Amino acid sequence: MTLKPLYKEKPSEPAKSDWLQEGFEHIWLPYTQMQDAALPLPVVDAYGCRIKLADGRELIDGISSWWSVCHGYKHQYIVDAIKNQTQQLSHVMFGGLASEPAYTLAKRLVEISPDGLSRVFFSDSGSVAVEVAMKMAVQYWRNKNNRNKTKLISFHNAYHGDTMGAMSVSDDDDWIHKVFKGYGPEQIRFAVPDENTLEQLAKNVAAIKDSAAAIIIEPLVQGAGGFKFHSPLILKEIYEIAKKNDLLFIADEIATGFGRTGTMFACEQAGVTPDIMCLGKALTGGYLGLAATLATEDIFTAFLSDDYGSAFMHGPTYMGNPLACAAANASLDLFAREPRLDQIEKIQRLLLSELEICRELEIVKDVRVKGAIGVVELKETDWKKIKQAREKFIEMGVWLRPFGNVFYIMPPFTISTEELEQLTAATYSVLKD
Ligand SMILES: *Cc1c(COP(=O)(O)O)cnc(C)c1O
């Protein structure tokens, strides 16, 4: 296999060991056609909003490492929290044994999440948090002796993860999930409605409510499935449709949670409390893998019984890992202590004013901003050009990775005005060319 580095300059200092080249022969990259896969950029350090490469160059991060690193890299407060926890207790199983960071975190998550959510089930990745939510929803009805309500209602352009259940509720026509179309549990998908199609959705849902367990949605912003937005009003209406039809309402806040859309959780803007809520990504500030599925007391109570079989049957090995939970507790401290929501508001203002200029470009279909999410959607998808754009961004010293027909910026909330302006300027410049 020929290896094509993304950049031309040779590393200024010879690498001490060739871990990259040697390891690359054995690595299988995500979402990548390996036949002509470019060699990833070797990273030797990251701090604040900067990613430092082995050749000494630095990239300004506009992706927050898949939207997780919300306080920037190497934040000393989180680093210390993890270090201290390592010296205390790195891991212990969650069955029969308890560790302080997880129990403290559960209490804190309930305190900051929409009123009514009261129980926390920990797992280690967002996809699993979604699987857990789906199993909870189906078993909720089974525990109530209803075995017909099994289907999940989801939406076009949804992305809920890459495991089997999560795929079944994601858009099955997108580039990530297409190959598995028709495999796995069969669910029901509708378009996210607008004011004109709400009534139709209400009718469609009413027609299938007896076989449906829940509606699952990414509130306000659909992420990897195309970065489509809907208003708090629409979200509220979808919630009402779920309630009217005796369906559970699952909010997948894995991408939107922890401030990304301008409030701590996107559901707040619609004033709704989901029956089940999934968290992940920025939960630990992006330092360690951790996810959580929150449920209301109503959901939880449906699992209480003299019959052991009514209990929730799930339990990831690394559930409630103390290191990850210590990082999450530290991250919550930072949200309380540092002006994150103000920073997000400032990012929103800057993205709105700086990306607007992209709208005048012939190839651009739409420009939209919500919280610390800036999106430029193109009229067409051309993967060859997307690849060129990715290379151009690196040459310009920014880390942005458009995909499909979408260019997006989701920076760490701690990004400076100058750094953010470099991201928006690079976006315009690359689109213009
Ligand atoms: C990333 C994401 C997931 C999956 O999380 P993983 O940790 O990658 O498994 C699920 N839902 C949404 C909305 C996401 O953005």
Side-chain angles (χ1 to χ4, degrees):
M1 185 193 305
T2 49
L3 304 178
K4 289 183 225 147
L6 284 170
Y7 52 92
K8 291 174 191 74
E9 296 95 321
K10 280 264 164 294
S12 48
E13 274 184 53
K16 288 201 180 68
S17 78
D18 211 354
W19 57 265
L20 181 64
Q21 286 282 355
E22 286 170 20
F24 194 65
E25 296 303 317
H26 307 286
I27 287 284
W28 200 332
L29 293 171
Y31 312 118
T32 301
Q33 174 47 262
M34 293 300 293
Q35 177 166 295
D36 55 358
L39 199 59
L41 303 171
V43 175
V44 292
D45 195 5
Y47 63 96
C49 298
R50 308 284 177 131
I51 296 168
K52 191 170 175 189
L53 304 180
D55 63 7
R57 288 182 306 161
E58 287 190 2
L59 303 178
I60 298 170
D61 182 18
I63 308 180
S64 310
S65 280
W66 277 334
W67 328 337
S68 63
V69 184
C70 57
H71 312 287
Y73 300 89
K74 215 150 76 173
H75 196 299
Q76 200 55 46
Y77 185 74
I78 304 184
V79 170
D80 286 343
I82 297 170
K83 254 194 206 165
N84 292 339
Q85 187 57 44
T86 314
Q87 270 148 11
Q88 195 72 38
L89 174 67
S90 286
H91 186 61
V92 69
M93 65 188 278
F94 213 63
L97 299 174
S99 59
E100 180 274 324
Y103 280 65
T104 299
L105 179 60
K107 182 162 174 273
R108 294 180 74 180
L109 287 176
V110 165
E111 277 164 11
I112 61 167
S113 61
D115 281 343
L117 292 165
S118 62
R119 296 282 169 171
V120 181
F121 192 97
F122 286 116
S123 56
D124 31 32
S125 80
S127 299
V128 174
V130 169
E131 302 281 336
V132 165
M134 292 172 68
K135 284 176 70 175
M136 267 181 194
V138 171
Q139 196 180 339
Y140 171 86
W141 294 112
R142 293 197 167 188
N143 283 357
K144 288 177 175 288
N145 282 324
N146 187 330
R147 297 187 71 84
N148 295 325
K149 287 170 84 65
T150 57
K151 294 219 181 291
L152 274 282
I153 296 174
S154 67
F155 295 94
H156 297 153
N157 296 110
Y159 177 87
H160 294 290
D162 293 339
T163 52
M164 293 307 306
M167 280 203 300
S168 78
V169 288
S170 298
D171 197 312
D172 56 357
D173 276 322
D174 70 13
W175 61 287
I176 297 176
H177 299 107
K178 205 172 181 157
V179 70
F180 286 106
K181 194 180 169 93
Y183 184 67
E186 198 182 303
Q187 314 284 16
I188 302 152
R189 256 173 228 89
F190 296 120
V192 176
D194 56 23
E195 280 83 355
N196 302 317
T197 55
L198 260 172
E199 218 167 299
Q200 190 56 49
L201 178 72
K203 276 187 200 148
N204 291 341
V205 171
I208 51 163
K209 64 179 217 170
D210 292 340
S211 61
I215 293 181
I216 182 166
I217 190 166
E218 298 154 87
L220 301 190
V221 176
Q222 294 180 301
F227 287 97
K228 306 280 190 199
F229 296 1
H230 54 269
S231 69
L233 186 89
I234 291 292
L235 181 62
K236 170 92 178 152
E237 292 291 336
I238 296 172
Y239 171 82
E240 296 298 344
I241 289 172
K243 291 298 106 185
K244 259 182 221 140
N245 290 288
D246 222 10
L247 298 173
L248 301 182
F249 184 82
I250 304 173
D252 177 352
E253 293 243 16
I254 290 165
T256 53
F258 302 101
R260 188 53 72 176
T261 67
T263 45
M264 203 58 177
F265 302 100
C267 280
E268 288 172 31
Q269 293 178 46
V272 302
T273 295
D275 298 292
I276 301 175
M277 182 165 97
C278 304
L279 299 175
K281 289 204 161 89
L283 173 55
T284 63
Y287 283 66
L288 285 162
L290 182 69
T293 307
L294 278 64
T296 61
E297 208 61 13
D298 172 50
I299 300 292
F300 178 73
T301 308
F303 291 75
L304 305 181
S305 162
D306 294 335
D307 171 15
Y308 199 83
S310 297
F312 187 55
M313 291 300 163
H314 204 98
T317 305
Y318 284 99
M319 184 172 187
N321 172 259
L323 297 180
C325 290
N329 281 318
S331 173
L332 293 186
D333 289 344
L334 291 178
F335 272 105
R337 235 176 250 188
E338 297 184 1
R340 286 294 172 270
L341 293 183
D342 295 340
Q343 289 168 317
I344 293 160
E345 160 109 47
K346 204 171 123 209
I347 291 169
Q348 170 168 284
R349 251 182 287 131
L350 215 123
L351 286 173
L352 273 170
S353 67
E354 298 298 311
L355 286 179
E356 190 54 30
I357 186 176
C358 296
R359 208 183 286 277
E360 69 192 29
L361 299 171
E362 179 58 34
I363 55 168
V364 170
K365 182 177 168 196
D366 188 32
V367 178
R368 48 185 182 266
V369 172
K370 178 90 191 160
I373 306 170
V375 178
V376 182
E377 184 179 340
L378 308 188
K379 287 176 184 154
E380 278 167 37
T381 303
D382 181 341
W383 277 104
K384 228 186 222 146
K385 291 215 170 105
I386 290 288
K387 228 168 136 184
Q388 285 169 0
R390 288 179 175 184
E391 288 169 27
K392 197 85 212 288
F393 279 134
I394 291 159
E395 280 168 32
M396 297 173 89
V398 300
W399 182 237
L400 290 170
R401 239 168 115 77
F403 63 84
N405 65 337
V406 170
F407 282 57
Y408 74 91
I409 300 177
M410 287 172 76
F413 303 146
T414 49
I415 195 165
S416 71
T417 301
E418 297 71 37
E419 287 169 327
L420 188 54
E421 277 171 357
Q422 287 199 49
L423 294 175
T424 54
T427 299
Y428 177 69
S429 158
V430 164
L431 285 170
K432 196 157 150 274
D433 293 342

